[in-house]
Amino acid sequence: MNKLRGVVIAAVALFSISLHSGAALAQKKIVMGFSQIGAESEWRTANSESIKSAAKEAGIELKFSDAQQKQENQIKAIRSFIAQKVDVIAFSPVVESGWDTVLREAKTAKIPVILTDRAVDSKDTTLYTTFMGSDFVEEGRKAGRWLVEKVKSQPGDVNVVELQGTVGSAPAIDRKKGFEEIIKAEPRIKIIRSQTGDFTRAKGKEVMEAFLKAEGKKINVLYAHNDDMAIGAIQAIEEAGLKPSKDITIISIDAVKGAFEAMMAGKLDVSIECSPLLGPQLMSAAKDLMAGKTLPRRIVTEESIFPKEVAAKEFPKRKY
Ligand code: GYE
């Protein structure tokens, strides 16, 4: 009898110890340091919002830092996350190159790094665990395919001006590459001017003004690497006395609400979707990592394409 009692007491004690340590484990919050590029576009604002709300929902403590479009600020932020011994570092690199040193520091400190939205060009791929985000080359191809299809029945040259994203950034490099790859098959389509508008409305407007001054009515198409630059350019086109979408066909990327509004007003022809809603995916990847799971090296975001004909129908469904 006594022996049985002893066994029962021991079992209860063991059970309560394991319960306690389980609770302690469950209570340990994951701490994530996130270095954001800035607030240059509607896309970026939606992306920051998605990350902040997903962290809250997932019970992850988020240290969020805004780099105001400067790589040096991102490097500083990552170093401070390392010093604070966060559990995981995530960041959206403003440009592709120049990250190896700081990523090596994170690796030495045994802090895993997740790339979100934009890629880096590091040769050593052990410097980050995964890259989650869109296929920017494919977005450029989609833009190119749409244009090739559109001009099929129109004779003559098609002169394109291109507003590039931030110099050296993954989306600017890849969206240019994908677009050029497709239009090569149609020699009538020529890029006559190409310059950066840094993904902002103000710069998009400014550069479009310069394009219009230099090329005037020769311009048939504007290809903008994001909606914000296209929206800025639309203003420049109107101020020059031309009609956006009628005198100049306009193609852009992101499919943010501002683009839908422009399409519904008949001023933008098509926007290729690039989803900024990466927050939930990022938080679940962080949890998986902390639980010892191996992440896939590449997590690709699924996206669509919206011509202006469907804008009014799709608009109420848009989340960003
Ligand atoms: O297209 C643009 C933003 O990296 C995909 O950055 C992102 C791009 C997006 O500023 O609007």
Side-chain angles (χ1 to χ4, degrees), residues 64-90:
F64 187 94
S65 170
D66 178 333
Q68 299 181 336
Q69 299 245 69
K70 290 202 177 75
Q71 181 174 32
E72 53 184 282
N73 290 344
Q74 289 202 288
I75 293 175
K76 264 188 218 150
I78 295 170
R79 289 208 166 114
S80 114
F81 296 148
I82 297 172
Q84 292 172 68
K85 297 190 166 60
V86 299
D87 298 307
V88 52
I89 292 172

Side-chain angles (χ1 to χ4, degrees), residues 142-150 249 251 269-270 305 307:
K142 283 179 184 163
R145 284 187 205 114
W146 184 90
L147 181 61
V148 167
E149 191 54 39
K150 156 113 182 150
T249 298
I251 307 168
D269 289 274
V270 64
I305 156 166

Side-chain angles (χ1 to χ4, degrees), residues 36-45 47 69 92-94 116-119 133-134 136 139 165-166 169-172 175 198-200 225-229 253-256 272 274-276 278 303:
Q36 180 60 292
I37 291 175
E40 75 281 4
S41 63
E42 233 183 289
W43 190 100
R44 189 66 52 201
T45 311
N47 180 244
Q69 299 245 69
S92 176
V94 59
T116 77
D117 162 32
R118 297 186 184 178
S134 308
F136 299 136
E139 290 170 352
T166 301
S169 71
R175 286 170 181 171
D198 211 13
F199 282 131
T200 68
H225 289 187
N226 82 341
D227 292 335
D228 285 74
M229 293 189 293
I253 302 185
D254 277 354
V256 294
I272 316 296
C274 177
S275 175
L278 301 174
E303 29 218 24

